[in-house]
Amino acid sequence: MTTPSIGVLAVQGDVREHRAALEAAGARTVAVRRPDELATLDGLVLPGGESTTIDKLTRTFGLRDPLRARIADGLPVYGSCAGMILLADRIVDGHPDQQTLGGLDLTVRRNAFGRQVDSYETDLEVTGVDGGPVRAVFIRAPWVEQAGPQVEVLATVGAKGADRPVVVRQGRLLATSFHPEVTGDARVHRLFVEMVRAAA
């Protein structure tokens, strides 16, 4: 596979920034708003945004079940921030009717770092990403409370007295608590593009 076709779920969130980062990392991108657009993808990104809104809109647009089916079928998927919440099997502090797409054997805490005013940036060493630390931008971000035995933790950050997993991988699924798409550094997206190529 020379140029993989990677969709970005485009119902809400920072779609444009993810598409730019993926294209810088060597992929062709598609904005995904309809179920039939999922059929021909080699990979998919679930962007940051508001996880409850994205959840509701995927159900409204008839995307929820097709998304769950493609994830279960082994489609490589990368979720950032809200996307991590959508990929997690379990949520703490979610809305009562909030659902996830699942796939990652994780319990994540929604808005774990606090509200918008508690947003911050730091440099993180991420396993599998060469070239020095990654600038991590946390905006109302989740963290991983509990990870199953198949989940590989690629980076942690010290917060509230403990090391919190903020980059995880399980098979063909990748998730970050932060927003690499807003920094102009495409290395996390390059890691995902390589995962997509390997899956093909």
Side-chain angles (χ1 to χ4, degrees), residues 81 113 115-116 118-124 135-143 156-157 166 176-179:
C81 198
F113 290 91
R115 296 164 38 202
Q116 196 87 12
D118 301 308
S119 301
Y120 77 104
E121 300 181 24
T122 190
D123 290 324
L124 284 181
R135 190 69 175 166
V137 179
F138 293 91
I139 305 169
R140 294 178 61 211
W143 68 42
T156 62
V157 68
V166 291
T176 63
S177 296
F178 55 89
H179 293 266

Side-chain angles (χ1 to χ4, degrees), residues 38-61:
L38 290 168
T40 58
L41 298 177
D42 302 308
L44 178 71
V45 170
L46 303 175
E50 214 294 306
S51 61
T52 53
T53 301
I54 295 172
D55 167 39
K56 286 175 183 164
L57 290 173
T58 58
R59 287 188 260 170
T60 299
F61 293 136

Side-chain angles (χ1 to χ4, degrees), residues 9 44 46 54-55 58 63-69 71-72 77 83 85-89 99-104:
L9 184 66
L44 178 71
L46 303 175
I54 295 172
D55 167 39
T58 58
L63 281 160
R64 177 181 159 72
D65 290 341
L67 282 166
R68 286 175 60 88
I71 292 167
V77 182
I85 296 168
L86 289 165
L87 281 176
D89 286 341
Q99 299 176 27
T100 71
L101 300 171
L104 282 173

